[in-house]
Amino acid sequence: MAGEQWKSKIGFILAAAGSAIGLGAVWKLPYVAGTSGGGAFFLVFLVFTLLLGTSLLLAEFVIGRKTQKPPIQAYKELAPGTPWYWVGILGIISSCLILSFYAVVGGWILTYFIRSLTGGLTDPPEGNYGILFESIISNHWEVGAAHLGFIVITILIVQGGIQKGIERASSIMMPALFIIFIVLVVRSLTLDGAMEGVRFFLQPDLDSLDGQTILFALGQAFFSLSLGVSIMVTYSSYLSKKESLVRSASSIVGLSILIAFLSGLAIFPGVFAFDLEPNEGPSLIFTVLPAVFNEMALGSLFFTLFLLLLLFATLTSAFSLLEIVVSSVSHSNPGRRRIAAWAGGLGIFILGIPSNLSYGLLSEWLIFGDIFFNQIDFLVSNILLPVGALCIAVFASYFIKRSELREELLRGSSLGSGFFSTWLVLIRYITPLAIIAAFLHVLGVW
Ligand code: PHE
């Protein structure tokens, strides 16, 4: 919506944090940490988030707020006549791919939520929640309908426009999310044997670090801050020139790290207290958490609340993924917003069908040795996001004039040249080098 601005700064922070916080922290981080060495992975993830993630977030903010345009138009304005606008196109492609599998997991959560309301999650077959998960997700009609339902909710909110839709929804969803999470963590930490899980999650065993873990941690840091796809360019393009980008970025990174901590502290104590395995992959939270909740007083009530929270968090991220597609199409013609939301959303639903079937009909269809769902997740998180992030870092630091960068970055804040120079070093040298090094290391070049 051209020219429209956030009603309030808090609306922008809530929506941007809403984009950042979602399945990345709650579903992906625990399962990737569980398969990649626990504490060591988490430590590397934290370092990447604080140094590279924060600098990139600021770079995306600078590009968006400076131009007040959605990504493709923003890159065209800043570097006219060059192919840099492809970074915006790459972001749109990556966003569609992310949303295609994101909505599948969103559909699983919706299914679990509805089942939890109707008592369908107590009494799993053979007392095993892993078997229950498999039987639920191989039930194509049920998860298919939930997948579609999740996309339709996303479309309905996004078509309403940036202020009426996303801002209003986020300002109710985000505070609710934190409150429910804290209750959950208190519950989890008081289980017998909880400390072993805390140790697994927070005590780094640096010997378990290898190139792949480092690349995964890098991908996870970008994924969980919604970086590398120009979504933060889009959101900050609606932000008023009066606000401090640095302050907004710190709140978003802070909130996002906090929720990652909370989710690890909610999940790993449960894994160990009930003798479950931390490394089972994407199904982790779906098989561990119901078992944990089942053993607690008022467990099913807590589980229903948790699912509601996760659904909120997942939806606010999904809004942002669809928003980038819609705003790019409807920037110059707001009348096209509704049709763009429906066409984009339904196209992404179709793109997600093979991911959805990966756990059922297509479970035997392997690409390079893994199911479609996992390969799309891998492609996006560990290749497209780091490549997108690399391009944005290089673009911002080499192709925007130093004085303009400085002015936009520091506008509305009391920080001075020292901060600017540090940021510039991080974005110009450290971030690109770290990304290139991680790729080369995985390719075995060094
Ligand atoms: N940051 C979101 C999450 O953690 C996922 C996401 C990635 C959203 C990239 C937008 C862009 O759930």
Side-chain angles (χ1 to χ4, degrees), residues 24-312:
V26 183
W27 160 77
K28 203 167 188 309
L29 181 111
Y31 98 67
V32 184
T35 48
S36 323
F41 173 88
F42 190 62
L43 179 69
V44 180
F45 160 78
L46 273 185
V47 172
F48 283 158
T49 302
L50 284 170
L51 290 181
L52 314 189
T54 311
S55 342
L56 250 152
L57 184 58
L58 284 169
E60 293 205 17
F61 280 176
V62 164
I63 298 172
R65 197 186 45 189
K66 183 164 171 45
T67 56
Q68 314 254 298
K69 297 213 163 77
I72 298 182
Q73 289 84 349
Y75 295 111
K76 280 191 176 160
E77 178 178 307
L78 291 170
T82 68
W84 278 103
Y85 68 92
W86 276 92
V87 178
I89 296 178
L90 175 72
I92 293 175
I93 297 172
S94 306
S95 297
C96 292
L97 290 173
I98 296 175
L99 189 53
S100 79
F101 72 87
Y102 210 83
V104 170
V105 185
W108 296 349
I109 294 161
L110 190 57
T111 310
Y112 265 66
F113 177 63
I114 293 170
R115 283 196 178 216
S116 82
L117 290 177
T118 54
L121 294 179
T122 43
D123 264 344
E126 299 166 39
N128 183 324
Y129 284 96
I131 301 181
L132 179 68
F133 175 74
E134 270 160 35
S135 78
I136 292 178
I137 61 169
S138 54
N139 188 343
H140 304 303
W141 292 113
E142 184 178 356
V143 286
H147 177 191
L148 182 61
F150 182 88
I151 284 276
V152 169
I153 300 174
T154 309
I155 296 173
L156 289 174
I157 304 245
V158 170
Q159 73 164 13
I162 189 84
Q163 290 193 334
K164 283 195 258 55
I166 300 176
E167 183 175 343
R168 194 183 305 159
S170 303
S171 56
I172 304 167
M173 290 177 182
M174 296 300 295
L177 185 151
F178 276 93
I179 294 167
I180 302 179
F181 236 121
I182 288 166
V183 174
L184 185 62
V185 168
V186 171
R187 214 63 197 167
S188 222
L189 285 177
T190 48
L191 290 170
D192 266 356
M195 274 309 130
E196 205 183 329
V198 175
R199 242 175 278 127
F200 174 82
F201 178 53
L202 295 181
Q203 205 172 63
D205 163 18
L206 294 178
D207 290 343
S208 63
L209 275 184
D210 58 15
Q212 173 129 337
T213 309
I214 292 177
L215 181 65
F216 280 14
L218 191 68
Q220 178 68 38
F222 296 147
F223 190 93
S224 60
L225 282 176
S226 306
L227 295 174
V229 293
S230 304
I231 277 187
M232 294 301 183
V233 172
T234 311
Y235 273 13
S236 57
S237 72
Y238 302 116
L239 186 64
S240 127
K241 289 272 184 193
K242 289 196 291 285
E243 306 300 346
S244 154
L245 296 181
V246 181
R247 219 173 311 125
S248 305
S250 343
S251 339
I252 291 162
V253 173
L255 287 174
S256 157
I257 290 182
L258 181 64
I259 206 91
F261 255 116
L262 292 178
S263 89
L265 289 180
I267 288 161
F268 289 110
V271 173
F272 286 85
F274 297 106
D275 244 352
L276 302 162
E277 290 299 327
N279 63 350
E280 69 169 76
S283 55
L284 184 70
I285 65 165
F286 296 94
T287 59
V288 171
L289 288 175
V292 175
F293 284 111
N294 192 39
E295 300 293 323
M296 293 176 189
L298 295 179
S300 55
L301 177 69
F302 276 110
F303 193 35
T304 305
L305 281 176
F306 176 80
L307 290 165
L308 186 65
L309 147 111
L310 194 49
L311 195 58
F312 280 170

Side-chain angles (χ1 to χ4, degrees), residues 327-344:
S327 67
S328 301
V329 180
S330 62
H331 174 69
S332 51
N333 181 355
R336 273 193 299 198
R337 197 172 168 90
R338 182 175 297 253
I339 179 87
W342 281 97

